[in-house]
Amino acid sequence: GAVVSQHPSRVICKSGTSVKIECRSLDFQATTMFWYRQFPKQSLMLMATSNEGSKATYEQGVEKDKFLINHASLTLSTLTVTSAHPEDSSFYICSARDRLAGAEWVTKNIQYFGAGTRLSVL
Amino acid sequence: GQNIDQPTEMTATEGAIVQINCTYQTSGFNGLFWYQQHAGEAPTFLSYNVLDGLEEKGRFSSFLSRSKGYSYLLLKELQMKDSASYLCAVRDQSGGSYIPTFGRGTSLIVHP
């Protein structure tokens, strides 16, 4: 299956610092990548949809100036948590959708997930 | 949006069969996914249903009834490593986004 690499897997930082998380599709091209946030025993909450070469689409309630997303190529998207605070501590997961031509993309458009990044802000 | 409901927790015995249900409400249904997620790890894809019926893949099977807004994931010959959270996700085509919404997940505990 498709492989999505997410780095780093764990970050511990001081309050006020910025943290960058990378998400790469290793063996396929992803015009669209997604960023999720998950609190313990909760579901995946979509934060934003990242499209290659254009601005990300943020979900309601997600601060775009706080969570900066850059999707510079078909295989890389980055999420930067700016001026992180303890309440930003969470498990951040990216996923990528394989780019398929024609009508197949709707039926076979499966999301593949990275391993996640556990952010702890002290 | 979607309203996805699945049990919070289930327990089962090694070697047994367990069925995890998922009900949903959506205006533009365009597929249902099941993912497995072990604690502290990212979800891994298990199955995809867009038409009514049963999809079988080894020990795991997934069923869909679009008219009832209902799906289940069936796990056979349970193994200890099957202890994980199982996420039901429904994709909606409203607005052209085709982005799945995830349920809260069902935590399955398999004991000897």
Side-chain angles (χ1 to χ4, degrees):
Chain A
V3 178
V4 176
S5 173
Q6 185 172 343
H7 178 80
S9 59
R10 186 174 179 89
V11 179
I12 301 173
C13 68
K14 293 182 179 180
S15 183
T17 59
S18 293
V19 176
K20 179 186 281 190
I21 303 170
E22 290 188 349
C23 181
R24 295 179 185 272
S25 56
L26 296 186
D27 51 1
F28 66 99
Q29 292 182 327
T31 49
T32 306
M33 290 187 175
F34 305 89
W35 289 96
Y36 292 86
R37 183 173 178 174
Q38 187 178 35
F39 292 105
K41 297 187 177 182
Q42 298 293 316
S43 183
L44 297 170
M45 298 302 298
L46 181 66
M47 298 174 66
T49 303
S50 167
N51 294 295
E52 186 263 338
S54 64
K55 291 184 178 180
T57 302
Y58 290 82
E59 295 299 301
Q60 192 172 6
V62 178
E63 300 175 57
K64 59 182 65 178
D65 295 331
K66 173 77 171 178
F67 300 99
L68 301 178
I69 292 173
N70 185 287
H71 194 158
S73 76
L74 286 172
T75 58
L76 173 64
S77 175
T78 61
L79 167 68
T80 301
V81 183
T82 62
S83 187
H85 287 93
E87 58 266 29
D88 298 323
S89 298
S90 186
F91 191 51
Y92 293 87
I93 308 174
C94 74
S95 75
R97 200 157 65 182
D98 196 347
R99 182 181 70 166
L100 292 172
E104 277 194 338
W105 85 270
V106 174
T107 58
K108 296 183 180 181
N109 211 323
I110 298 168
Q111 285 179 261
Y112 297 96
F113 287 84
T117 298
R118 185 159 301 284
L119 174 62
S120 300
V121 185
L122 305 177
Chain B
Q2 301 85 24
N3 184 12
I4 302 171
D5 190 38
Q6 51 182 131
T8 304
E9 187 174 292
M10 299 182 70
T11 59
T13 306
E14 190 176 15
I17 299 174
V18 71
Q19 178 174 312
I20 302 174
N21 297 324
C22 173
T23 59
Y24 64 88
Q25 294 176 318
T26 184
S27 56
F29 177 81
N30 190 260
L32 186 143
F33 302 81
W34 283 97
Y35 283 85
Q36 179 192 62
Q37 184 180 26
H38 285 98
E41 299 179 10
T44 55
F45 171 75
L46 289 178
S47 68
Y48 168 75
N49 294 71
V50 68
L51 299 176
D52 292 348
L54 187 68
E55 294 281 340
E56 297 187 77
K57 191 184 294 185
R59 294 191 298 116
F60 294 1
S61 302
S62 57
F63 171 84
L64 174 68
S65 169
R66 288 172 295 172
S67 62
K68 295 181 180 178
Y70 168 70
S71 172
Y72 67 72
L73 179 69
L74 192 71
L75 292 76
K76 303 176 184 176
E77 301 171 16
L78 280 174
Q79 301 175 10
M80 299 297 289
K81 66 178 182 179
D82 296 329
S83 294
S85 182
Y86 291 85
L87 306 174
C88 171
V90 176
R91 187 167 66 194
D92 191 309
Q93 65 185 4
S94 300
S97 65
Y98 297 95
I99 299 174
T101 298
F102 286 82
R104 286 178 168 269
T106 297
S107 178
L108 174 65
I109 301 169
V110 180
H111 54 83

